[in-house]
Amino acid sequence: RYYADSIIKSARIFVDRAESSHESSGLMLNTIFSHQEVTALFPDLPDGRGIVEELVGQTHSERTEALMLADRRLYLPDDILVKVDRMSMKNSLEIRAPYLYPEILRVSENIPVSMKIKGINLKYLLKKVALRYLPSEIVHRKKHGFMVPMSQWLKKVGERDVRNRVPSCVDPNALNRILKPHFSHRLDNSHKIFTLIMLGRYINGQGL
């Protein structure tokens, strides 16, 4: 539900990722684009799907554990931790991530999944420990994200301006399939469009 502002959009994202999950050892990875979309947008790009298999390996029969490992190897260092690091340095803050200390990670790797997830209850063991020190309303409070109105911002900028910011190497037909539904208010493709704009800045040496 992170990228969704409605149940309908959340369901669509879930279905899209579930249908493409066979491409990465059955893992429904948290990605902006499916492999088919990447291939359509960048026809000359080498197939990079083997990277996930290489990092995750075939030794984890438990898919939940494999997905957790993929997060630690890919999502954390290439996304979440990068953002925290850059924003904290910009504001002269020193940030620590105690759950990522090697000793804690080694312990967590030996904890069975059944103690980490109970049905739809995530972080089960962590919450059990937290209840010793914090009120239940704090421990079981829903996660609050920091989403911005990206869809409205892009529509305000306009389709023509957005096209000028997307890399020239992107296939025009594939780009149309992303931009047209968004600017005609049929689909919210704001995160895909924003990702392509950031790629354009990176290619042009403008920085992120």
Side-chain angles (χ1 to χ4, degrees):
R1 298 187 317 202
Y2 180 78
Y3 294 115
D5 51 12
S6 71
I7 294 177
I8 294 176
K9 184 182 176 185
S10 179
R12 180 174 61 83
I13 293 173
F14 178 83
V15 171
D16 289 344
R17 291 180 180 171
E19 288 179 342
S20 62
S21 64
H22 66 279
E23 300 165 356
S24 299
S25 299
L27 300 179
M28 195 168 71
L29 299 176
N30 185 25
T31 56
I32 301 292
F33 297 102
S34 68
H35 174 69
Q36 290 90 341
E37 288 175 319
V38 172
T39 302
L41 288 165
F42 306 97
D44 300 326
L45 193 70
D47 190 339
R49 288 177 292 177
I51 295 176
V52 176
E53 283 78 3
E54 181 181 342
L55 289 175
V56 174
Q58 301 299 327
T59 58
H60 293 75
S61 57
E62 171 55 58
R63 291 302 183 189
T64 305
E65 290 281 10
L67 187 56
M68 291 177 178
L69 180 58
D71 264 358
R72 291 208 302 272
R73 297 280 182 87
L74 299 171
Y75 183 49
L76 283 175
D78 292 340
D79 192 324
I80 298 300
L81 296 179
V82 175
K83 295 173 183 174
V84 173
D85 190 49
R86 288 177 179 172
M87 292 301 100
S88 60
M89 286 194 296
K90 182 178 177 62
N91 292 279
S92 302
L93 294 174
E94 193 68 32
I95 299 295
R96 291 288 180 267
Y99 290 142
L100 296 181
Y101 283 3
E103 294 84 357
I104 294 180
L105 280 178
R106 279 194 290 270
V107 171
S108 69
E109 288 173 351
N110 293 316
I111 298 175
V113 175
S114 60
M115 295 182 67
K116 298 175 181 177
I117 301 174
K118 291 278 188 181
I120 61 173
N121 187 8
L122 307 179
K123 304 176 183 175
Y124 177 76
L125 184 60
L126 181 62
K127 290 178 180 178
K128 280 287 188 182
V129 175
L131 284 171
R132 299 179 182 177
Y133 309 99
L134 297 170
S136 176
E137 58 268 23
I138 297 295
V139 174
H140 296 293
R141 184 175 60 180
K142 290 185 178 181
K143 181 189 290 187
H144 293 271
F146 298 93
M147 299 302 294
V148 297
M150 185 63 65
S151 179
Q152 291 88 334
W153 287 353
L154 291 174
K155 287 174 182 175
K156 186 175 182 179
V157 168
E159 184 177 346
R160 178 181 297 181
D161 192 291
V162 166
R163 287 183 180 275
N164 292 333
R165 298 172 185 269
V166 171
S168 58
C169 59
V170 171
D171 181 84
N173 292 325
L175 180 61
N176 283 336
R177 289 195 290 271
I178 292 175
L179 295 185
K180 291 299 183 183
H182 182 82
F183 286 97
S184 63
H185 306 283
R186 286 185 285 126
L187 286 175
D188 181 359
N189 287 327
S190 54
H191 284 86
K192 295 179 180 180
I193 297 170
F194 179 75
T195 301
L196 292 173
I197 292 175
M198 291 297 101
L199 178 62
R201 290 182 62 86
Y202 177 79
I203 291 175
N204 294 326
Q206 297 174 288
L208 301 179

